[in-house]
Amino acid sequence: MRTLYILLLLSVSLSGYAQDSLRQERALQVLDEVHHAIVSWHPVGQLHTGQVALAEAYVLAERELQSHVDAPGDSVAIQDFIAAAGKLQEATGCGHLQLTPQRGKQWIGQRKGRQLFGVIRVADGSFVTRGKVGLTGGDSLAVGTPLLQLDGRPVEQLVSYLAIFQGINDAGSNVGPRYRAARYLSGLYDARYGAKDSLLVTYLAEGSPEPKEGYAAMLPAKGDAKLPADHGKKKRSREERREDQLKKFSYELSEDGSVWVMTIRSFSDSAYPFRGFRRSVRDAFEEINASGVDKLVVDLRLNGGGDVTNARYLCSYLAKASFSIADEIYSTTPGANGKGLFNKMGMYVVAGVRKKHGVWRMDGKTKLTQPHKDAFSGEVIALIHELSFSATALTANVLQQTQSALLLGGPTGGGRARTYGGNIRELVIGDRKGVRFELNMPNWVFVPYRAGEGTVMPDEIVPITRQDIIDDRDVHLETALQRLNGK
C-alpha cells in the first residue's frame, strides 16, 4: 500500500556465529529504541490512548526480555528479542508494523543454495510438508508428510513463535503471520537461530503410527555446492523481467472455456515496469468482455497489496455499484506530507495530500467511484487467503460490501475497522556494520469502505486437506470453478 512508510534500521552489535544473537547489555537499549520509534512515528503513537497502550506493552516486553538477559550466557537470541518486542506490535493492532533483522551481503551469500522447506496447516490441524524434504543419507520425506517437531521443537509452537512481529495481522489476527512462518519454516528458523548443516525432524511416516526421526539436509545438493562466479550478479534479460511481470498479472480461460481466471499477485506499480497495471487491467477486460464468457475468477491470493489507486481501478471493473476504496485516509504523524521539497510536491500534486484542521488527508482517493463503462457484468468469485493483505484486503472488502463478488478461500489478516499504509523512509541508528533491525513503519490510517469489526473474511471458507497437498490440487480454484458452473 503506497503512501509514506518509515523504515527504521536499528543497528545493534551482535555476538555468536553469523550474528544470531545480541549482547545482553544492548538488548534492553534496543527495545527502548523500538518503543520510542513506534511512539514517535506510528499513528497509534500519536494518540493518548495509544501511548498508554504502548507504555503498558513496553512494561510487559521489558519484563520478558529481562528474563532472557538474566539467563546464563552473555547474549539474547534474535528471535527471543523479537518475541519480547512483539508486545509493542500487538498494542498497535497494525499488521504493517514488522520487525526483522537485516542481513548483509556476506550473510545472504553464505546461505545461497541451501535446501529450504515449508509446511502448511491442513483441515485436521496438523502441519504437513508442502514439498519433498531431502534427508541426509539420500532419503526424503514425501509431499504431505505430517511434521511434528523441528530441531526438537513442536512445529505448532515454533510456527506461532516465529510468527511474532511478522505483520499481516491487523486487529490482532494471527492467521497471516502463522501461515507465512509455516510456509517459510526452515528458512526463517535458519535466519533466526543460525545456520546448521542439518535439522532434526520428527514426522509421521505413511502407514506408521509411531513418530520417526531423521535429519533434513540443509546444505546445497551435490553438484550445486559451487555456484558460478557470476551467480546473482548477471543482469537479467528484458524477456526474463517481462516474464516476471506476467507472473504478477495474467488471465486465461479455464480448460473447458467456460470461465476466465485472472491472477493478480501485486497492486504495486513497481511490479509492472513494461506494461502498467492500469493498461494490463484495461486490455484484459477488453478481451474478456469481447469473448462473451460471463464468468470470472479473480485470484488475489499471495497478493500483499500495493497502490490503493490500482486497487480502486480494478474494483471499478468489477463493482456492481458505486464505492470508495476507503472511507477515510488520514495521518497526524510527522512527515506524513513527504520528506524534502520534491517528495512533498509529489504528495501534494499526485497523492492530493492536504492538511485540514491539523490532520493530513487524502480525500481525493476516498471519493465515490462509479463502475467503469466497460465493467465486467457477469458473475465473479474472488479468491483470498491468509497472505491477501493491505490494498488487497481493501479490494476484497469493496467486492464484498457491494455484493459484486463471492469471496472464497481463507481468512485474511487485513482489518475491516482500519488498516495502515505508506511509503518507506530510512533512519539508521548505531553501527552500520552490525546486523540491523528493519522496523517497517506505516504512518497513514486507512478506514475501509463501510468499516466493520475484525478482518476481511471470505463468504465461503474452503479448507485444505492433506490429500489436497499430496495430489497438488488447487482446491480453492477448483471450488470456484464448480460454483460458477453450478456444480
Side-chain angles (χ1 to χ4, degrees):
M1 189 180 295
R2 280 181 83 223
T3 26
L4 186 64
Y5 275 118
I6 307 281
L7 176 63
L8 300 178
L9 306 180
L10 305 176
S11 299
V12 299
S13 299
L14 303 177
S15 62
Y17 172 71
Q19 302 175 328
D20 299 304
S21 58
L22 62 105
R23 296 198 313 269
Q24 288 178 337
E25 64 270 21
R26 185 76 172 104
L28 291 170
Q29 297 173 3
V30 177
L31 178 66
D32 183 65
E33 292 172 3
V34 173
H35 172 246
H36 179 73
I38 296 173
V39 171
S40 299
W41 296 102
H42 196 279
V44 171
Q46 310 306 304
L47 305 172
H48 175 69
T49 53
Q51 293 169 4
V52 171
L54 285 165
E56 294 173 349
Y58 179 72
V59 172
L60 296 176
E62 187 178 40
R63 186 181 302 161
E64 180 176 331
L65 187 57
Q66 187 67 55
S67 68
H68 294 296
V69 170
D70 293 340
D74 59 0
S75 62
V76 176
I78 289 294
Q79 185 57 35
D80 290 338
F81 173 81
I82 291 175
K87 299 288 191 301
L88 298 171
Q89 196 255 2
E90 291 175 12
T92 67
C94 172
H96 285 78
L97 190 62
Q98 299 171 303
L99 183 70
T100 57
Q102 186 189 56
R103 303 301 193 177
K105 292 182 179 179
Q106 181 178 0
W107 187 93
I108 295 173
Q110 291 172 345
R111 282 158 173 76
K112 282 183 177 178
R114 288 176 64 80
Q115 305 300 304
L116 304 177
F117 60 90
V119 296
I120 183 171
R121 187 169 192 166
V122 292
D124 65 4
S126 63
F127 288 87
V128 303
T129 55
R130 301 180 64 93
K132 287 185 178 181
V133 179
L135 301 179
T136 57
D139 292 333
S140 64
L141 303 183
V143 176
T145 298
L147 198 64
L148 306 179
Q149 294 185 355
L150 179 67
D151 216 22
R153 302 168 185 247
V155 169
E156 183 167 8
Q157 295 179 19
L158 182 59
V159 165
S160 296
Y161 200 57
L162 291 173
I164 298 174
F165 227 146
Q166 283 282 304
I168 330 177
N169 62 334
D170 284 349
S173 171
N174 58 27
V175 295
R178 288 185 181 180
Y179 185 97
R180 184 181 185 278
R183 183 181 178 89
Y184 305 107
L185 181 60
S186 71
L188 194 53
Y189 185 83
D190 186 76
R192 299 297 169 82
Y193 291 102
K196 293 185 178 182
D197 293 349
S198 61
L199 291 174
L200 176 65
V201 291
T202 305
Y203 60 96
L204 288 177
E206 192 69 40
S208 175
E210 297 299 323
K212 293 187 176 183
E213 290 185 345
Y215 284 89
M218 297 296 288
L219 294 178
K222 189 175 181 180
D224 295 336
K226 291 185 178 180
L227 298 171
D230 63 349
H231 179 78
K233 297 180 181 179
K234 184 179 178 180
K235 189 174 181 179
R236 300 166 67 240
S237 70
R238 182 181 178 86
E239 285 305 312
E240 287 175 324
R241 287 180 285 133
R242 189 184 297 274
E243 284 297 316
D244 274 354
Q245 177 167 324
L246 291 176
K247 294 176 183 177
K248 298 291 193 306
F249 186 102
S250 63
Y251 59 99
E252 61 183 359
L253 281 169
S254 59
E255 289 185 4
D256 64 1
S258 64
V259 180
W260 282 100
V261 179
M262 178 181 289
T263 301
I264 303 174
R265 295 289 182 249
S266 176
F267 287 115
S268 296
D269 282 329
S270 60
Y272 303 94
F274 294 100
R275 175 179 291 185
F277 182 83
R278 289 192 171 203
R279 181 181 172 187
S280 297
V281 170
R282 184 175 64 248
D283 290 351
F285 278 104
E286 182 178 342
E287 182 176 347
I288 290 171
N289 289 333
S291 72
V293 176
D294 63 351
K295 298 179 179 67
L296 172 66
V297 174
V298 181
D299 188 352
L300 298 175
R301 296 171 299 176
L302 293 175
N303 187 332
D307 194 329
V308 293
T309 304
N310 288 335
R312 181 177 63 186
Y313 190 70
L314 174 69
C315 287
S316 73
Y317 274 89
L318 298 172
K320 309 297 185 188
S322 58
F323 68 92
S324 296
I325 193 67
D327 282 341
E328 283 189 277
I329 304 176
Y330 67 90
S331 179
T332 57
T333 59
N337 64 322
K339 181 182 179 183
L341 180 61
F342 182 78
N343 185 226
K344 288 181 177 180
M345 287 178 61
M347 295 291 286
Y348 185 88
V349 176
V350 179
V353 174
R354 301 290 188 274
K355 196 168 190 177
K356 298 179 180 179
H357 307 294
V359 179
W360 294 107
R361 309 188 70 88
M362 292 191 201
D363 292 339
K365 292 189 176 184
T366 63
K367 290 181 179 179
L368 206 62
T369 301
Q370 300 298 325
H372 196 279
K373 63 181 179 63
D374 296 321
F376 183 72
S377 60
E379 191 175 357
V380 180
I381 290 181
L383 303 183
I384 58 173
H385 76 157
E386 290 82 349
L387 298 186
S388 303
F389 187 66
S390 193
T392 307
L394 291 175
T395 300
N397 177 65
V398 165
L399 298 180
Q400 189 174 59
Q401 295 304 309
T402 58
Q403 299 182 359
S404 301
L406 175 78
L407 302 187
L408 185 149
T412 77
R416 285 215 57 234
R418 66 182 56 82
T419 189
Y420 301 85
N423 286 329
I424 294 179
R425 200 177 183 185
E426 295 184 357
L427 174 65
V428 179
I429 300 175
D431 181 10
R432 290 175 179 266
K433 295 182 179 180
V435 170
R436 298 173 294 188
F437 283 105
E438 292 186 1
L439 183 61
N440 290 342
M441 181 79 71
N443 65 346
W444 282 84
V445 181
F446 292 71
V447 179
Y449 181 58
R450 296 178 183 170
E453 297 299 321
T455 59
V456 180
M457 299 291 290
D459 300 299
E460 181 179 350
I461 293 179
V462 179
I464 298 174
T465 68
R466 176 175 177 248
Q467 195 60 47
D468 293 332
I469 300 300
I470 293 172
D471 295 340
D472 193 26
R473 292 179 56 203
D474 187 343
V475 67
H476 290 169
L477 179 57
E478 288 180 12
T479 303
L481 294 175
Q482 291 171 2
R483 297 289 183 271
L484 288 172
N485 287 318
K487 297 179 181 178

